[in-house]
C-alpha cells in the first residue's frame, strides 16, 4: 500500500542534498512510499504563505507524480 506523508526534517534534508538544493528552515518533503521503498517525492519550501515546488519525482510516471503533487 502506498502512503503519502511529510518527512522529518533530517530525512527531508537528505533529499535536498540529493537534488543539489539548499536546505533551510522553510524546506519540506512529502514522500510516496511502499513500506520503506521511496516511490516518489516532492520537495517544497513554505515562506510567507507561499509554497514553492523545488523538485518532484518521478517524472516518468505521471499518475504517481500527480498524486504526489496533489498531496
Amino acid at each position: 500500500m502506498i502512503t503519502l506523508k511529510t518527512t522529518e526534517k533530517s530525512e527531508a534534508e537528505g533529499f535536498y542534498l540529493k537534488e543539489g538544493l539548499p536546505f533551510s528552515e522553510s524546506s519540506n518533503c512529502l514522500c510516496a512510499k511502499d513500506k520503506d521503498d521511496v516511490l516518489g517525492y516532492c520537495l517544497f519550501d513554505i515562506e510567507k504563505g507561499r509554497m514553492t515546488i523545488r523538485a518532484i519525482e518521478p517524472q516518468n510516471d505521471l499518475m504517481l507524480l500527480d498524486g504526489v503533487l496533489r498531496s
Side-chain angles (χ1 to χ4, degrees):
M1 179 164 95
I2 296 174
T3 58
L4 295 157
K5 66 178 192 173
T6 55
T7 65
E8 297 291 327
K9 287 288 187 180
S10 59
E11 187 176 6
E13 186 172 13
F15 284 102
Y16 273 75
L17 290 173
K18 174 182 173 183
E19 291 287 337
L21 296 168
F23 184 81
S24 70
E25 193 62 36
S26 64
S27 299
N28 294 276
C29 176
L30 180 126
C31 272
K33 293 184 179 183
D34 183 8
K35 297 183 183 169
D36 291 330
D37 295 329
V38 176
L39 304 175
Y41 56 86
C42 180
L43 305 181
F44 59 98
D45 294 348
I46 299 177
E47 293 181 289
K48 300 177 185 172
R50 299 185 92 180
M51 175 188 272
T52 304
I53 305 297
R54 299 291 180 198
I56 190 164
E57 287 293 336
Q59 294 185 13
N60 62 348
D61 183 339
L62 292 179
M63 297 284 284
L64 184 56
L65 181 137
D66 180 67
V68 170
L69 184 58
R70 288 176 187 259
S71 292

